[in-house]
Amino acid sequence: MNAMLRPLLLSLVLCSSWAMAADEQHDADQPLGWVEKVTLEPGNVEIKAKLDSGALTSSLDARDIEVFEKDGEEWVSFRLKLENEANGERFSERLERPLYRDLTVRGAGGRDERPVVLLKVCVGDTRYEEQFSLRNREEMNYPMLLGRRSIGHLGVLDVRETFTTEPDCDTDSPLVAFDPDEE
């Protein structure tokens, strides 16, 4: 074989193999749209979530946020005030969660400190334990924003689509537990 053709042939074989692998992976993953209905635990509250590849950490609408100490550790107390998309009812509940970390957000509006907690969210038929920064998102269109860390667990994002799946989880649904080593 001509020495000039070997690199070209090798490139074609590698590209073909990569393309076939990508097609097989694409078929295995149902693309999610840039807005999806999800269910937040606890409360099994169905809400709209924006999948935002521009944000690293997910964010949740929370009110009356207070950091406090419990058993020698920092915890966060906050109130959820959400409208359940499934039935139109208002959901308001005070939650307490261990503080996972503090997040500093820098943007055009300046610098903002936010507590981050771990919560479970149902997307499709799978439950995911994810990091959520807590802030008042009352003025935002979506009470939940799923950032790149979460999107990486969920699969393929198709920014041309919305509402490609319905949340359908129960206690027997698979849970993808948070893995701090993935950060």
Side-chain angles (χ1 to χ4, degrees), residues 29-99:
D29 292 334
Q30 175 185 353
L32 295 170
W34 69 275
V35 178
E36 291 290 348
K37 288 183 183 176
V38 303
T39 306
L40 179 66
E41 295 179 22
N44 205 30
V45 183
E46 185 177 296
I47 58 176
K48 291 178 186 174
K50 177 182 177 183
L51 281 71
D52 186 351
S53 63
L56 180 60
T57 304
S58 297
S59 180
L60 178 65
D61 182 19
R63 317 288 170 81
D64 308 319
I65 302 166
E66 297 176 20
V67 177
F68 66 98
E69 191 171 307
K70 180 177 179 179
D71 300 327
E73 295 183 10
E74 286 189 295
W75 280 61
V76 182
S77 171
F78 56 97
R79 176 165 301 284
L80 296 178
K81 289 178 110 177
L82 303 167
E83 181 176 334
N84 191 329
E85 292 288 326
N87 56 23
E89 293 179 9
R90 299 291 296 168
F91 175 85
S92 180
E93 187 172 321
R94 187 146 200 79
L95 301 178
E96 292 182 353
R97 294 287 184 270
L99 176 67

Side-chain angles (χ1 to χ4, degrees), residues 99-163:
L99 176 67
Y100 179 71
R101 66 183 176 99
D102 287 308
L103 175 68
T104 301
V105 178
R106 293 173 193 88
R111 186 178 172 142
D112 190 18
E113 298 285 332
R114 300 178 191 166
V116 176
V117 297
L118 298 179
L119 292 168
K120 293 181 182 97
V121 63
C122 168
V123 181
D125 62 357
T126 305
R127 297 162 52 228
Y128 298 88
E129 184 179 45
E130 299 291 340
Q131 294 182 52
F132 286 93
S133 70
L134 303 175
R135 73 173 295 239
N136 186 330
R137 295 181 56 84
E138 184 176 19
E139 300 300 319
M140 305 292 188
N141 290 330
Y142 306 100
M144 180 184 287
L145 181 145
L146 294 172
R148 287 192 309 272
R149 282 190 178 110
S150 297
I151 294 169
H153 298 142
L154 301 177
V156 177
L157 173 60
D158 185 344
V159 297
R160 300 168 297 180
E161 299 293 329
T162 58
F163 306 115

Side-chain angles (χ1 to χ4, degrees), residues 17-32:
S17 298
W18 178 83
M20 288 184 344
D23 282 345
E24 289 170 13
Q25 179 65 33
H26 178 71
D27 291 340
D29 292 334
Q30 175 185 353
L32 295 170

